[in-house]
Amino acid sequence: MPAEPRATLQRILELLGFSATVDEHRLEEGLLLDVKADDSGRLIGRQGQTLSDLQYITNRMLFQQDPSVPKVTVDVCGYRAQARDALVKKAKEAAEKVRRWGDVVELEP
C-alpha cells in the first residue's frame, strides 16, 4: 500500500485532538507538509521540539508503510523558515563582529 504523507499527518493531528489543515509541497529533497492550526504554539513546542518529534513520528510511520517514500519535513505556520532566517541573521552578525573587531564569538549550539 503506497504511503500518503498528507493523510497520515492529518490523521495523527486528529488523534492528538488538533483541528488543522495540512498542505503538501514538493521540494528537491522530499516533501514539505505545512500545518495550519489555531493552536500552533502547542504543535511547535519549546524550541521546536514538539514539531521535531511530530516530524520524526510521521516519517517513521510513512517508512513502515512504504520504505521508498521521500523524507517529509513538517512545518507549522512557517516556524522552520523563521527559525532558519533568525539563525542566518545571528551568524552574519557574529561574522561581522569577528571581521570588524577580531573578537572570538561563541554561538549557542
Side-chain angles (χ1 to χ4, degrees):
M1 173 169 104
E4 298 181 20
R6 187 182 157 283
T8 300
L9 180 58
Q10 186 78 43
R11 182 70 177 139
I12 292 170
L13 293 171
E14 287 173 8
L15 291 171
L16 290 172
F18 288 96
S19 175
T21 59
V22 179
D23 296 326
E24 184 175 306
H25 306 282
R26 294 241 175 247
L27 301 175
E28 290 178 11
E29 62 275 359
L31 291 174
L32 171 67
L33 297 178
D34 191 23
V35 179
K36 303 282 192 267
D38 293 333
D39 200 4
S40 60
R42 283 184 49 217
L43 278 174
I44 295 169
R46 174 173 260 161
Q47 295 181 342
Q49 187 60 48
T50 305
L51 178 58
S52 294
D53 294 342
L54 184 61
Q55 179 175 301
Y56 175 79
I57 290 169
T58 303
N59 277 300
R60 292 292 297 162
M61 290 179 69
L62 292 170
F63 184 78
Q64 289 290 328
Q65 293 173 14
D66 181 5
S68 66
V69 71
K71 185 174 185 312
V72 171
T73 301
V74 177
D75 196 5
V76 175
C77 297
Y79 172 80
R80 289 192 188 275
Q82 291 173 354
R84 183 176 43 251
D85 292 345
L87 180 61
V88 168
K89 180 181 176 191
K90 188 179 281 191
K92 286 181 178 180
E93 289 171 353
E96 182 59 32
K97 184 175 181 181
V98 169
R99 185 177 13 254
R100 180 172 287 165
W101 305 108
D103 293 342
V104 174
V105 176
E106 289 186 23
L107 299 174
E108 60 193 49

